[in-house]
Amino acid sequence: MNWNRRHLLDVRTLSADELGLILSTAKAFKAVSSRAIKKVPALRGKTVVNLFVEPSTRTRISFELAAQRLSADVINFTAEASSLKKGETLKDTLRNLEALNADFVILRHGASGAAHYLARFARCHIVNAGDGAHEHPTQGLLDLFTINERKGRIEGLNITILGDILYSRVARSNIWALLRLGARVTLCGPSTLVPKVFETLHPGIRVSWNLESALKDADVVNLLRIQHERQRASAFPSIGEYASLFGLNATRAGWIRPDALIMHPGPINRGVEIESGVADGGQSVILEQVTNGLAVRMAVLFLLNGGQSSELGL
Ligand code: CP
């Protein structure tokens, strides 16, 4: 199939074929990253702007590296030192970047829908790098890639997502991608962060407040950080209480099947949602996720630029 979208704004609207194309393209770019010469000319002459209005380590750096590996020019926009601080609007910021011939704007923003908003009038490609509690598409895609690479399939797998589901854009992008490809998704955490109403979104979603049962049947356990920056009211009495009831410690990790994967999008709060011994243990693929993020982001930029899978020998 050919890629027909100008922007990547969410995972929810991607078809199974589009997800499959991103996975196969990312696989080819992962192979490129293992070569002595890691650069390809696919985006030569193009300009990629990282417009991050919220903090980021993994996403911003891997988009920067992805663009460089594709031979694009890269501009890292620092919101704190920009004219956004003087009241310039996001729309005017985009217009000015386009006046400088930006071809791609990678947007991270605290407002849900910010990327969709810019895409309404953008002439360049917009990539959503996380918008509020809505979606984080490339995180969902790199998680999908990691699971598929390790397990050889998505269909029929039991995936438990544990933690702050209510405020997590990572959870939403994971849920839509996994359901589209036929996985079963269990959402687990405190009832204040995992409301039962999530089950009404899709028949493939189950809500469980019982940690042991949610862990023991899982092929994959994906842990989420508590999103303090988005919570309007405290969802639990204290961090210590959350860690004691839902933190993945060695005892609880023992409930997980030995062949199951333990994932986390980062940043990790060690001792809160996960203990160090588990985060750094043999079932953890947390750093593999980061590695795969580069290949997935190269694939996304390549496809949005009109790249054909035949160029990659697929
Ligand atoms: N997973 C993730 O989005 O990490 P960053 O916030 O560091 O980009």
Side-chain angles (χ1 to χ4, degrees), residues 238-255:
S238 69
I239 285 290
E241 182 149 333
Y242 179 84
S244 75
L245 291 175
F246 289 98
L248 193 60
N249 55 27
T251 304
R252 291 172 182 152
W255 298 337

Side-chain angles (χ1 to χ4, degrees), residues 55-60 108 136 139 170 265-267:
S56 168
T57 296
R58 282 145 289 270
T59 312
R60 194 191 61 73
R108 171 166 290 189
H136 188 347
Q139 181 69 48
V170 174

Side-chain angles (χ1 to χ4, degrees), residues 13 24 62 105 121 131 151 163 249 274-276 279 287-288 310:
T13 60
S24 60
S62 58
V105 168
F121 39 78
D131 62 327
K151 292 286 178 190
N249 55 27
I274 190 166
E275 276 189 356
S276 279
L287 293 177
E288 269 179 54
S310 56

Side-chain angles (χ1 to χ4, degrees), residues 184-196:
R184 290 181 290 273
V185 176
T186 298
L187 305 177
C188 181
S191 57
T192 46
L193 293 175
V194 191
K196 202 77 177 159

Side-chain angles (χ1 to χ4, degrees), residues 93-135:
T93 302
L94 175 72
R95 284 189 163 145
N96 280 271
L97 295 172
E98 287 182 331
L100 294 166
N101 290 323
D103 297 290
F104 292 82
V105 168
I106 317 299
L107 177 68
R108 171 166 290 189
H109 201 281
S112 297
H116 284 79
Y117 167 69
L118 281 195
R120 278 170 38 201
F121 39 78
R123 285 184 280 112
C124 65
H125 302 282
I126 303 291
V127 179
N128 181 1
D131 62 327
H134 172 234
E135 279 219 37

